[in-house]
Amino acid sequence: MTPHLKLSIPRRTAAAAALALAGLLASAAPSATAAPAAPAPALAAPDIPLANVKAHLTELQSIATANGGNRAHGRAGYKASIDYVKAKLDAAGFTTSLQQFTTSGATGYNLIADWPGGDANSVVMAGAHLDSVSSGAGINDNGSGSAGTLETALAVSRAQLKPVKHLRFGWWGAEELGLVGSKYYVNNLPAAERSKIAGYLNFDMIGSPNPGYFVYDDDPTIEKTFKDYFAGLGVATEIETEGDGRSDHASFKNVGIPVGGLFTGASRTKSSAQAQKWGGTAGQAFDRCYHSSCDSSTNINDTALDRNSDAIAHAVWALSTEPTVPPGDIYENAADVAIPDNGAAVTSTVTVSGRTGNAPAALKVGVDVKHTWRGDLVLDLVAPDGTAYRLKSASGSDSADNVIATYTVNASSETANGAWKLRVQDVAAQDTGYIDSWKLTF
Ligand code: DTR
Ligand code: CA
Ligand code: ZN
Ligand code: ZN
């Protein structure tokens, strides 16, 4: 099992951030079923006006039209695109810098924009590649991600946001040549600077004309932030399965930075099941104009572009403005434990020591269980004295995958020190999985 990436900020803050972001707060009494309740967001993101995002796409289309029909690396259309985005950010008060590199015999450019303020040692970054292929204007691929990211940055400025973490945005060159710009950025970032990046959010194709709603399955906190947003809209999401290595998040993931992102699909075909849940046309590609000359202003689904742009803002706000939760002490077990299908319960143990007195009335139990059809699963926290606290009961109809959640348990009647166990049982046939990791935060 590939261990999932942790937010690379100091563990205590990471856990606090994860807890602050986690959507499920549950107070459980012995054998009571935890009743999840979503916490109020620390600071709700504003709506991102679709018209503003579309206006950026109109400009990028004009740039392509005026420069040989594309915005590809090494061409005039790319540099004009970078200059357009940079001018908007400079006017909005960002600290911008152009990073030059050479590939395929031509000069490429990355644009980095820092929003002044926030903890310089904990950076939340969002980015998109701005280059197109040479065959077209690249309005969905990837004007859409570039414009959604740009408009979110401009919304940060309009709000004069004062985030806890530092916010940085990036627009990458030469992604279509092999993630060249983002690799150059990461490779030229000193290790000490890399370790300050708490997470990188990537947006590459977020307005496909026959859209799917895919969330990258990488860092669980980032993934959950996006999935919670779409759940709030009543929009089902799927895990992005073709994404590994396919866009700029790979450059960050390869050096251990937690990543996440959104995607509405490229040349793969939408299935009938997907058309059932998302609408659109089954048997047709998510984007029939992928890497083609028809990837122009008309090659966008406005609803998908709007929803994903709003999701970008939601994640940027949520991941950078979470309340300063007093750090707790974390006890974690990241060893994978296989869960037998429709079989006996398994446990994973964390041993708590060196504490005094009882556990808190709001003991945080963070779980990461990878398992298809999570309705099969029953989860309990078992205290050192054997008392069981129900975290999650079986719910046959819940066909979604994975239990990535944080529960709050009133464990004030339990002594803190001792061997605490997460007990998981699969109570229905078919579908299997494993405990990926879990942790207690006191
Ligand atoms: N490689 C990207 C398009 C792409 C294809 N699959 C994925 C998955 C996740 C993000 C992006 C993509 C491009 O052509 O720019
Ligand atoms: Ca919107
Ligand atoms: Zn592409
Ligand atoms: Zn792309």
Side-chain angles (χ1 to χ4, degrees):
M1 311 298 178
T2 313
H4 64 263
L5 293 166
K6 307 262 189 300
L7 281 171
S8 64
I9 42 184
R11 182 176 293 279
R12 280 184 166 195
T13 319
L19 295 174
L21 290 178
L24 295 182
L25 292 175
S27 59
S31 75
T33 301
L43 195 58
D47 173 71
I48 299 300
L50 173 64
N52 293 9
V53 182
K54 301 264 294 179
H56 299 316
L57 295 184
T58 300
E59 182 61 29
L60 294 177
Q61 178 64 64
S62 301
I63 287 170
T65 304
N67 291 283
N70 69 71
R71 300 180 304 100
H73 164 73
R75 310 291 183 82
Y78 179 73
K79 183 61 168 57
S81 302
I82 276 278
D83 291 344
Y84 169 75
V85 175
K86 185 178 187 298
K88 289 285 185 186
L89 293 162
D90 287 338
F94 282 83
T95 305
T96 63
S97 62
L98 272 184
Q99 182 181 50
Q100 288 193 17
F101 58 89
T102 301
T103 192
S104 303
T107 301
Y109 303 89
N110 292 326
L111 173 63
I112 307 301
D114 284 278
W115 181 243
D119 178 1
N121 292 315
S122 181
V123 179
V124 171
M125 191 165 187
H129 77 86
L130 186 55
D131 63 308
S132 74
V133 290
S134 55
S135 54
I139 299 305
N140 185 36
D141 181 19
N142 183 38
S144 63
S146 295
T149 303
L150 171 60
E151 193 56 29
T152 295
L154 297 178
V156 165
S157 173
R158 287 194 292 266
Q160 286 297 294
L161 189 64
K162 302 234 178 318
V164 171
K165 292 187 175 62
H166 178 76
L167 276 178
R168 181 175 300 151
F169 297 86
W171 286 264
W172 311 117
E175 184 272 351
E176 300 289 6
L177 281 71
L179 320 184
V180 177
S182 57
K183 280 179 187 168
Y184 184 86
Y185 172 75
V186 167
N187 293 341
N188 286 275
L189 203 58
E193 291 305 307
R194 284 184 202 168
S195 66
K196 294 174 184 175
I197 300 180
Y200 170 72
L201 314 179
N202 192 62
F203 306 104
D204 185 356
M205 301 178 76
I206 63 167
S208 304
N210 186 26
Y213 292 89
F214 298 98
V215 176
Y216 294 7
D217 176 26
D218 286 288
D219 178 79
T221 300
I222 299 173
E223 176 183 346
K224 189 175 184 332
T225 302
F226 284 125
K227 291 174 82 167
D228 280 356
Y229 182 75
F230 281 102
L233 296 181
V235 174
T237 54
E238 286 187 9
I239 293 304
E240 165 41 48
T241 54
E242 63 167 305
D244 275 356
R246 294 288 303 266
S247 192
D248 295 302
H249 59 300
S251 304
F252 292 80
K253 183 174 180 178
N254 291 342
V255 296
I257 293 171
V259 300
L262 300 172
F263 178 56
T264 48
S267 50
R268 274 192 183 175
T269 302
K270 181 181 280 186
S271 69
S272 49
Q274 290 172 327
Q276 280 283 330
K277 72 176 137 179
W278 289 328
T281 309
Q284 192 180 95
F286 295 103
D287 181 354
R288 287 187 292 184
C289 291
Y290 175 59
H291 285 186
S292 305
S293 59
C294 56
D295 187 4
S296 62
S297 295
T298 55
N299 189 48
I300 289 288
N301 176 289
D302 285 359
T303 302
L305 184 64
D306 189 22
R307 286 171 171 171
N308 281 289
S309 298
D310 290 335
I312 296 173
H314 170 80
V316 164
W317 257 255
L319 292 167
S320 68
T321 64
E322 80 283 351
T324 44
V325 175
D329 287 330
I330 301 167
Y331 303 82
E332 182 175 12
N333 188 336
D336 295 347
V337 180
I339 305 164
D341 183 27
N342 195 19
V346 292
T347 61
S348 173
T349 302
V350 293
T351 300
V352 175
S353 61
R355 306 193 71 80
T356 56
N358 283 5
L363 176 64
K364 302 291 185 187
V365 188
V367 304
D368 184 344
V369 179
K370 299 287 193 315
H371 195 289
T372 52
W373 203 289
R374 66 184 173 206
D376 292 2
L377 299 179
V378 176
L379 274 70
D380 291 301
L381 174 69
V382 182
D385 70 356
T387 308
Y389 294 80
R390 176 55 50 87
L391 302 177
K392 175 195 176 295
S393 297
S395 48
S397 61
D398 184 356
S399 62
D401 297 341
N402 308 333
V403 181
I404 300 173
T406 298
Y407 301 90
T408 301
V409 172
N410 179 355
S412 54
S413 61
E414 306 293 342
T415 53
N417 292 333
W420 292 76
K421 298 180 189 299
L422 174 68
R423 184 172 65 200
V424 183
Q425 186 173 13
D426 176 348
V427 298
Q430 297 169 32
D431 292 293
T432 56
Y434 63 97
I435 300 172
D436 190 340
S437 68
W438 77 291
K439 61 187 161 196
L440 290 176
T441 301
F442 281 73

